[in-house]
Amino acid sequence: MAAIARTARNPEGLETLDAFCATGSLRRAADRLHLHLHLHHSSVARRLEQITKVLGNELAQPAGLLRAGLALTEWRLLDD
C-alpha cells in the first residue's frame, strides 16, 4: 500500500499504472494514455519501469499485474 501511495505522489505515474492494470498491455496502455497525455509507448515503458521498482513486483507477470491492480483498488477505496 505504501508503494501505491508513493506512486500516487506523481499523478502521471498513477495514471500510467491505472492504464496498464486496466489493459494489461504496454501498447494498449500507451494508446489509452496517448489520447489525453500524448505519450509514446517508449515513455510509458520508462514510467512502468520506474513504477515496477517502486512496487517491487514485476508488472509484466500475471501475478504482479494482479497484485498491482488489487493494491491500486485498495488504495482508492481507502482514499475515499
Side-chain angles (χ1 to χ4, degrees), residues 9-10 13 17 26 28 40 48 57 61-62 68 74 76:
R9 289 183 200 147
N10 176 355
L17 178 60
L26 172 64
R28 288 192 305 261
H40 189 266
L48 287 172
N57 66 28
Q61 300 299 318
E74 181 181 11
R76 286 195 169 132

Side-chain angles (χ1 to χ4, degrees), residues 2-35:
I4 294 292
R6 284 192 302 276
T7 301
R9 289 183 200 147
N10 176 355
E12 291 87 15
L14 192 61
E15 194 167 8
T16 301
L17 178 60
D18 186 41
F20 186 74
C21 287
T23 63
S25 159
L26 172 64
R27 291 264 182 201
R28 288 192 305 261
D31 288 345
R32 187 176 189 168
L33 292 168
H34 182 76
L35 293 175

Side-chain angles (χ1 to χ4, degrees), residues 26-27 29-31 34 39-48:
L26 172 64
R27 291 264 182 201
D31 288 345
H34 182 76
L39 288 178
H40 189 266
H41 71 274
S42 61
S43 298
V44 175
R46 279 192 299 278
R47 285 183 179 190
L48 287 172

